[in-house]
Amino acid sequence: MANLNPLLDPASQSSASIALPPVAEPPAEQPNVLLAVLRRWPWLVLGLAVGVVLGLLFHMQRTPVYQSTAELMVVKSRPDMVAGGAGDARVQYLEDYIGPQVILLGSEAILKVAAERRLDEQKPFQNPPPDGAAERVAYMKARFAVARVKEAGSNTPSNVLQLSFKSLHPADAPKYLRAIIAAYKDELTGVYEDASVRQLKLLDEQIARLKRGLNDTRVQLDEAERKLRGVIDPATGAVLVPGISQETPERVQQRISDNRSSQNTRELDKIVIENRLKQIRDAGKTRAERLATMAKLGIANDRPFLFGDVKDPESMLAHLKYKKGELGTRLGPGHPDMAALNSQIKVLEDEVAARGGPAEDELERYRRKLESELGAITAQLDILARRIEADEETARNVAPVQQAIRNSEERLKQTAAELQAAEKEKDRVSGSRSAGAYEVRDVTKPADGGQVAPVLLQSLMLGAVLGLLLGGGLALRAELGDRGFRSPEDVRRRLGLPILAHVPVIRANQPNEVTPIAAIDPTLVVWLRPKTAEAEAVRGLRTQLLFSVANRNHQVIQITSPMSGDGKSTTAANLAIALARADKRVVLVDCDFRKPRVHKLFGLAKPALGLASVVADQADLGDAIQGCEVENLSLLPCGPIPANPAELLTSPKFQDVLSDLRASYDFVLLDTPPVLAVSDPAAVAPRADGVIIVFRMTPAAGPNMERAKQELVAVSAHLLGVVINASSEQHANYGYGYTYKYDYQYSDSYTDQKK
């Protein structure tokens, strides 16, 4: 193909490799409610201010409440001491009567006496009390309080009572207190004596009930013992009426256990004898077999034959016959030894025949002995079984009665203990009743009440807390409703894309460091003002593209944005200049067929030919490419705006153009329209090696970026990352707390131009 750019030597052209890091899905970030609320701190301040104002208004609207106090010392003429106590006597008697006095003072009985008898003596009232006695009692009960005063410097309660009464007028509170104290002094002795009388009556009823129970239990115990033992004559000890058993259940159980043990022993003996009898029955009929059975059973053969020490004549006879056969062959039948041997054999045969077999007699005698023993054991087992059955029957009859006896004895002990405690309590109450009256001394007398409510600080604190809760709720609602980005981490988390660069706001009114030939746009800071922070940010983006370690080549890079006004064309032009100054052959292609800006940025006249002409087969690619003042940078403008931009970008011819550019340049930068405005970027994205999205941090940036990413991912675009454009302090208004700053100065000698 012909040379696409006369300014470049095709022989020296080579492909460039751009590798970007793989997009790693960031870990899910847990929302922090506290930080979210603090981020919206103006709502908290507003809520706090509103709460304080409402608290102040609430305080002003509340009716003042005044409280009067008085202290009484209650002394008993003869205090009751705790039995066995070795501690402080004062603490001992305080524990006996001061607690009940606190309850007595706050009781309806005292308040009723005060309402009916003593309250009218305190007139006039600024706020008159209710007319009815019940209403007066309820009114005083709701406003009267009594508590014990602790000794100074310790937690030990004293015998001083503190009384307080709250009223709507400072002069009324002490009047109510004086009426209650007078009623308490009048009724103290009578109420205490009445309580003692009632308590003594209850104790008498309890003692009588316990005594009846004690007698009933004794009757039940006697009946159970009579049923078990019978009626015994106390003089002679004879049994007049027989009972269930004269023996204890323990003795019966012991006898059952002993009999069962004997029964088990006899059962084992029976099994042994039956086993021996079976062996005798199974013995053979021959004398040798029966002798073997006797030896197995350990039976001795004590009957001698004519040879005194011969215990087995049959074996001797067999031995002599064997010897006869052996000698007969060698000596002959007429030899004297043979004759003597025959004589011995004859004698043994006669003896064995005459006696009928001694082994058989001994075995039979042993069998009869075993059968006799077996019969005795069987009889013993029958006797033991009858004894065990009788004892078990006795145990079954005795057990319920014995349990009833034990229950009765336990009830006797318990009832006796309760009776003793009740009688002791009766003695204590009787002694306390006769101990005398109480003496009540005024420690401090009631005075005009002081205001205790409302408290300004409490009202303000309550309003502040409610205001903070209100402000926190509004702040949280605003935070949850805000879909904008709040931080770089928020961008990475929600988009799952790396941030390639933060480009500050480009200050177009700054003086240029380079004087251009053409009237180029002042936003091309990499060319006009290479020492500024804006240019350095673009060079950082260039570094991200050049020195990544990923193993993928990205030569054709599409640069787009979610919406118009995000600065994608300016970013694309500055990135192209930065790459060109790094000795990379770069072509900047204007794929925005609706609002092309590349030729305007570089100060070129509206071209007659461009990318649209080449894709529509109206011009050659080499004729449409133009040069500029920046070395190594070529421009492919849009050309005449076509009527069908989407169809041109999806045509096979556009893919051919990209292939030709890929072969001639190190980098091909495609400036495409916003993703959410038209469908053109989605048509270009699958044909590019990678896509960079440029956006400004606005309140709508979050939803717009998420929608743009979804549309690009839907066409299988390879997203390289995002560039945050126009990053400055003003983004804090959108909840984005990151500020792009440069804290170092560039030297005058810095430049990235070739020497």
Side-chain angles (χ1 to χ4, degrees):
M1 184 175 176
N3 184 14
L4 301 179
N5 189 350
L7 299 177
L8 300 176
D9 182 9
S12 61
Q13 296 173 354
S14 63
S15 298
S17 296
I18 302 175
L20 287 179
V23 177
E25 194 69 26
E29 181 183 353
Q30 298 296 331
N32 192 317
V33 177
L34 180 59
L35 292 179
V37 172
L38 293 179
R39 192 180 293 115
R40 304 284 178 169
W41 60 268
W43 287 106
L44 294 177
V45 174
L46 177 61
L48 180 61
V50 172
V52 170
V53 172
L54 292 178
L56 182 59
L57 294 177
F58 175 72
H59 175 79
M60 297 172 62
Q61 294 296 324
R62 293 181 62 186
T63 303
V65 177
Y66 301 91
Q67 177 176 286
S68 177
T69 60
E71 291 183 350
L72 300 178
M73 177 182 292
V74 182
V75 180
K76 194 173 184 181
S77 58
R78 191 172 65 191
D80 296 331
M81 307 298 291
V82 178
D88 188 0
R90 177 182 51 189
V91 176
Q92 293 171 354
Y93 77 75
L94 286 180
E95 292 175 348
D96 284 339
Y97 76 90
I98 292 299
Q101 298 308 310
V102 175
I103 300 175
L104 180 61
L105 254 173
S107 65
E108 292 189 3
I110 297 298
L111 298 180
K112 185 177 181 181
V113 172
E116 294 177 349
R117 303 178 187 175
R118 294 291 187 174
L119 197 58
D120 292 335
E121 298 175 358
Q122 305 297 328
K123 292 181 179 179
F125 288 91
Q126 300 297 325
N127 294 314
D131 294 332
E135 290 78 7
R136 289 186 176 186
V137 171
Y139 179 83
M140 289 190 292
K141 188 174 183 179
R143 290 161 174 78
F144 175 67
V146 58
R148 297 175 66 174
V149 178
K150 295 182 179 180
E151 293 186 358
S154 68
N155 290 326
T156 304
S158 65
N159 59 339
V160 176
L161 304 180
Q162 184 181 62
L163 288 65
S164 62
F165 194 91
K166 296 179 181 179
S167 177
L168 300 181
H169 195 277
D172 291 343
K175 297 178 180 179
Y176 284 98
L177 271 185
R178 285 192 287 268
I180 294 174
I181 292 173
Y184 172 66
K185 291 179 179 180
D186 292 343
E187 299 296 322
L188 181 60
T189 303
V191 170
Y192 188 79
E193 289 182 353
D194 291 343
S196 299
V197 170
R198 288 194 299 271
Q199 190 175 4
L200 285 174
K201 182 179 179 181
L202 293 176
L203 288 172
D204 289 336
E205 294 175 355
Q206 182 182 4
I207 291 172
R209 184 174 64 254
L210 290 174
K211 287 182 178 180
R212 288 195 301 272
L214 197 62
N215 293 331
D216 294 342
T217 305
R218 287 200 180 105
V219 170
Q220 294 175 2
L221 179 59
D222 293 341
E223 178 65 22
E225 290 180 346
R226 184 200 62 76
K227 186 176 181 181
L228 182 65
R229 311 295 183 198
V231 180
I232 301 175
D233 188 354
T236 63
V239 178
L240 301 179
V241 178
I244 297 175
S245 175
Q246 297 300 321
E247 298 179 315
T248 62
E250 291 76 13
R251 291 180 58 187
V252 174
Q253 292 296 333
Q254 182 62 38
R255 192 165 55 248
I256 292 174
S257 177
D258 295 341
N259 288 334
R260 286 194 183 278
S261 179
S262 300
Q263 188 182 40
N264 293 335
T265 302
R266 293 295 179 268
E267 290 286 352
L268 292 176
D269 294 341
K270 182 180 179 182
I271 293 172
V272 172
I273 292 174
E274 289 177 345
N275 186 36
R276 287 177 174 268
L277 288 173
K278 183 178 182 302
Q279 293 183 28
I280 293 173
R281 287 193 298 270
D282 295 340
K285 301 298 182 180
T286 65
R287 186 177 180 186
E289 291 174 341
R290 297 180 71 79
L291 286 173
T293 302
M294 289 177 61
K296 184 177 180 181
L297 295 176
I299 304 173
N301 183 12
D302 297 331
R303 294 180 58 189
F305 288 83
L306 69 101
F307 303 100
D309 58 345
V310 176
K311 301 298 182 181
D312 191 358
E314 291 181 349
S315 299
M316 179 60 74
L317 183 61
H319 174 68
L320 292 177
K321 288 181 178 180
Y322 175 76
K323 187 175 181 180
K324 175 183 176 182
E326 181 183 0
L327 295 177
T329 305
R330 182 163 51 86
L331 301 177
H335 194 277
D337 292 339
M338 291 295 295
L341 187 60
N342 288 331
S343 177
Q344 292 178 0
I345 291 173
K346 182 67 170 64
V347 171
L348 285 173
E349 288 178 347
D350 293 341
E351 182 71 17
V352 170
R355 299 183 65 172
E360 183 176 0
D361 293 341
E362 292 295 332
L363 193 61
E364 182 65 20
R365 186 167 60 250
Y366 186 67
R367 180 185 65 79
R368 290 195 296 272
K369 177 183 177 183
L370 291 179
E371 289 179 348
S372 176
E373 292 178 357
L374 182 62
I377 291 175
T378 303
Q380 291 177 359
L381 288 175
D382 292 340
I383 295 173
L384 289 173
R386 288 194 295 273
R387 289 178 179 177
I388 292 173
E389 183 178 0
D391 287 339
E392 288 180 344
E393 179 66 22
T394 300
R396 285 193 294 270
N397 294 331
V398 169
V401 180
Q402 188 68 22
Q403 183 64 35
I405 292 175
R406 285 195 293 267
N407 294 339
S408 298
E409 290 175 347
E410 185 65 27
R411 285 198 299 273
L412 277 177
K413 294 180 182 179
Q414 183 177 358
T415 306
E418 293 178 358
L419 180 59
Q420 183 180 3
E423 290 175 345
K424 184 177 180 181
E425 179 66 14
K426 178 181 177 181
D427 294 339
R428 188 193 68 81
V429 173
S430 299
S432 174
R433 181 189 178 193
S434 61
Y438 292 94
E439 181 181 357
V440 179
R441 303 172 184 174
D442 294 329
V443 178
T444 59
K445 294 185 178 182
D448 288 347
Q451 183 174 345
V452 294
V455 180
L456 178 60
L457 181 60
Q458 293 179 353
S459 300
L460 295 179
M461 290 294 293
L462 177 62
V465 171
L466 295 178
L468 286 175
L469 292 177
L470 175 62
L474 295 175
L476 186 60
R477 178 182 178 87
E479 182 73 11
L480 296 177
D482 184 8
R483 297 296 298 162
F485 294 126
R486 301 178 180 88
S487 65
E489 290 73 18
D490 195 20
V491 175
R492 298 186 188 95
R493 178 180 60 84
R494 291 173 56 183
L495 298 180
L497 298 173
I499 298 176
L500 301 179
H502 293 267
V503 181
V505 176
I506 296 177
R507 296 162 293 181
N509 57 353
Q510 296 296 317
N512 295 333
E513 301 171 12
V514 177
T515 302
I517 299 176
I520 67 174
D521 195 279
T523 59
L524 301 183
V525 292
V526 178
W527 184 8
L528 300 178
R529 297 181 294 278
K531 298 180 182 179
T532 59
E534 298 91 327
E536 181 62 24
V538 177
R539 284 192 289 269
L541 174 60
R542 177 188 68 183
T543 303
Q544 289 278 347
L545 298 178
L546 292 178
F547 297 102
S548 177
V549 295
N551 296 322
R552 294 190 60 181
N553 295 330
H554 299 87
Q555 188 176 356
V556 179
I557 299 176
Q558 177 185 356
I559 300 176
T560 185
S561 63
M563 300 296 294
S564 60
D566 285 327
K568 50 93 181 175
S569 297
T570 303
T571 303
N574 279 297
L575 178 59
I577 296 173
L579 289 171
R581 294 207 168 194
D583 291 333
K584 303 295 181 181
R585 295 187 297 275
V586 184
V587 59
L588 177 60
V589 183
D590 194 348
C591 297
D592 192 345
F593 289 176
R594 305 173 189 271
K595 293 182 179 180
R597 291 196 66 232
V598 170
H599 65 284
K600 296 180 181 180
L601 292 173
F602 286 89
L604 302 179
K606 185 175 183 180
L609 300 176
L611 177 61
S613 305
V614 176
V615 176
D617 285 332
Q618 297 176 358
D620 291 335
L621 181 58
D623 297 335
I625 294 178
Q626 300 185 27
C628 67
E629 294 186 38
V630 181
E631 188 177 358
N632 294 329
L633 177 60
S634 300
L635 305 176
L636 181 55
C638 170
I641 298 177
N644 54 346
E647 288 76 4
L648 293 179
L649 294 176
T650 56
S651 66
K653 181 63 176 178
F654 179 68
Q655 181 64 36
D656 295 340
V657 171
L658 292 181
S659 298
D660 293 340
L661 294 175
R662 188 189 301 270
S664 302
Y665 294 92
D666 295 332
F667 288 99
V668 180
L669 302 184
L670 307 179
D671 179 19
T672 59
V675 177
L676 301 181
V678 293
S679 62
D680 300 359
V684 177
R687 305 174 187 269
D689 297 334
V691 179
I692 296 177
I693 307 176
V694 181
F695 72 96
R696 291 176 182 263
M697 196 62 69
T698 62
N704 291 341
M705 279 296 297
E706 290 173 344
R707 289 175 51 200
K709 177 189 173 183
Q710 291 175 359
E711 293 194 12
L712 293 174
V713 170
V715 296
S716 301
H718 181 213
L719 302 179
L720 302 180
V722 299
V723 175
I724 300 177
N725 194 26
S727 177
S728 67
E729 293 286 352
Q730 64 180 347
H731 297 144
N733 296 331
Y734 304 121
Y736 179 72
Y738 178 82
T739 303
Y740 194 99
K741 295 182 180 180
Y742 286 90
D743 295 330
Y744 57 93
Q745 299 294 330
Y746 297 96
S747 63
D748 295 338
S749 60
Y750 171 79
T751 179
D752 61 356
Q753 297 180 2
K754 292 197 306 180
K755 301 295 183 182

